[in-house]
């Protein structure tokens, strides 16, 4: 009997808890990524957020740099509802659509940047999902995947959970849930490297972040000769 299916979409309660408690702490760890996006992307660049959740990062990118064409995909109807409301309140245009990472409803080589944050651990077939990412990226475009590092230490996890929106008295329970439902179900750095190797991309970097909470895959799709 499976008590918790990590590949299932978030229900309304899970969407609310992640959106309100956890997401702000997650996106605090992504400042280097946002700096990279702002440096590389120009007006008209097409960006795809896979597993966009409540749309926090997609909306922030659309707000911060004018003229970006941002799309978010997620399987959770509850999360997409939150994402659409967030974009309306921010008065920015972001397209949010219900779709799977394993079958993106987009043409080949149509996206300048594909990124995914804390989503790949939920994909039933991670290799297939990454191949889909590469399929839709334009030659010269970027792939960025960030996920919880299964090798992160208890101390690192505790420092991360301190930034969650909750009373200090509840943090021990939050650390336990973080390890049970995120860390232990995620991938190690070596597993991430093994996923990246078959993609035949250029400038591949697979490395932990400075806090040790996440690892990232960054790579460029080769241009045609």
């Amino acid at each position: 009997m499976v008590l918790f299916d990590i590949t299932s979409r978030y229900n309304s309660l899970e969407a609310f808890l992640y959106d309100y408690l956890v997401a702000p702490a997650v996106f605090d760890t992504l400042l280097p990524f946002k700096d990279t996006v702002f440096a590389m992307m120009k007006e008209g660049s097409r960006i795809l957020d896979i597993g966009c959740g409540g749309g926090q990062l997609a909306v922030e990118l659309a707000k911060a740099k004018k003229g970006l064409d941002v799309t978010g995909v997620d399987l959770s109807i509850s999360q997409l509802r939150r994402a659409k409301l967030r974009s309306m309140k921010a008065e920015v245009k972001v397209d949010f659509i219900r779709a799977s990472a394993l079958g993106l409803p987009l043409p080949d080589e149509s996206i300048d940047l594909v990124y995914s944050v804390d989503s790949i651990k939920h994909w039933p077939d991670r290799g297939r999902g990454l191949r889909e990412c590469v399929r839709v990226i334009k030659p010269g475009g970027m792939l960025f995947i960030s996920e919880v590092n299964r090798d992160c230490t208890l101390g690192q996890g505790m420092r991360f959970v301190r930034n969650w929106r909750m009373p200090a008295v509840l943090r021990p329970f939050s650390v336990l849930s973080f390890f049970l439902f995120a860390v232990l179900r995620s991938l190690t750095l070596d597993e991430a490297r093994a996923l990246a190797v078959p993609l035949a991309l250029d400038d591949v970097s697979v490395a932990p972040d400075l806090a040790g909470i996440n690892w990232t895959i960054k790579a460029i799709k080769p241009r045609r000769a």
Side-chain angles (χ1 to χ4, degrees):
M1 179 180 178
V2 177
L3 295 179
F4 178 78
D5 179 6
I6 196 168
T7 64
S8 64
R9 65 209 65 174
Y10 278 16
N11 60 37
S12 297
L13 177 60
E14 290 166 333
F16 167 76
L17 291 174
Y18 181 83
D19 196 27
Y20 182 76
L21 299 178
V22 184
V26 170
F27 295 118
D28 281 348
T29 70
L30 293 172
L31 290 176
F33 165 67
K34 288 182 278 188
D35 291 342
T36 299
V37 173
F38 298 151
M40 289 188 61
M41 299 294 113
K42 56 185 183 298
E43 187 170 350
S45 292
R46 297 193 67 193
I47 298 176
L48 177 64
D49 180 339
I50 300 179
C52 63
Q56 290 90 343
L57 186 51
V59 168
E60 186 171 337
L61 293 177
K63 283 170 57 180
K65 189 142 187 173
K66 202 172 179 182
L68 296 179
D69 183 345
V70 184
T71 298
V73 301
D74 204 285
L75 276 177
S76 168
I77 295 172
S78 298
Q79 289 282 48
L80 290 171
R81 193 176 294 126
R82 290 178 174 278
K84 291 174 182 177
L85 182 60
R86 180 169 275 112
S87 66
M88 289 173 59
K89 287 183 176 179
E91 298 182 340
V92 295
K93 184 181 183 303
V94 180
D95 292 322
F96 291 106
I97 56 178
R98 189 165 182 257
S100 167
L102 308 191
L104 297 171
L106 296 164
D108 294 356
E109 300 185 349
S110 58
I111 304 294
D112 296 285
L113 166 67
V114 171
Y115 73 85
S116 181
V117 174
D118 287 354
S119 175
I120 193 173
K121 65 178 172 290
H122 298 291
W123 301 358
D125 186 334
R126 292 150 183 170
R128 178 180 169 187
L130 287 173
R131 290 191 295 274
E132 269 292 276
C133 293
V134 174
R135 177 184 69 79
V136 302
I137 297 174
K138 296 177 182 179
M142 174 184 277
L143 172 69
F144 179 96
I145 306 290
S146 177
E147 184 53 89
V148 173
N149 187 348
R150 202 168 77 216
D151 289 332
C152 85
T153 66
L154 178 60
Q156 290 166 335
M158 291 175 69
R159 285 192 292 274
F160 174 63
V161 168
R162 281 194 204 113
N163 293 321
W164 291 17
R165 287 178 174 169
M166 62 173 44
V169 68
L170 296 178
R171 284 179 189 153
F173 302 101
S174 303
V175 171
L176 177 61
S177 66
F178 174 59
F179 273 85
L180 284 176
F181 298 115
V183 176
L184 296 179
R185 298 175 182 271
S186 192
L187 299 90
T188 66
L189 196 59
D190 286 341
E191 289 169 335
R193 289 193 179 104
L195 284 172
V197 168
L199 300 177
L201 298 173
D202 289 340
D203 301 326
V204 178
S205 167
V206 184
D209 66 7
L210 292 177
I213 297 297
N214 292 347
W215 51 254
T216 61
I217 298 173
K218 290 188 286 186
I220 303 294
K221 187 169 183 177
R223 297 182 185 274
R224 294 194 184 89

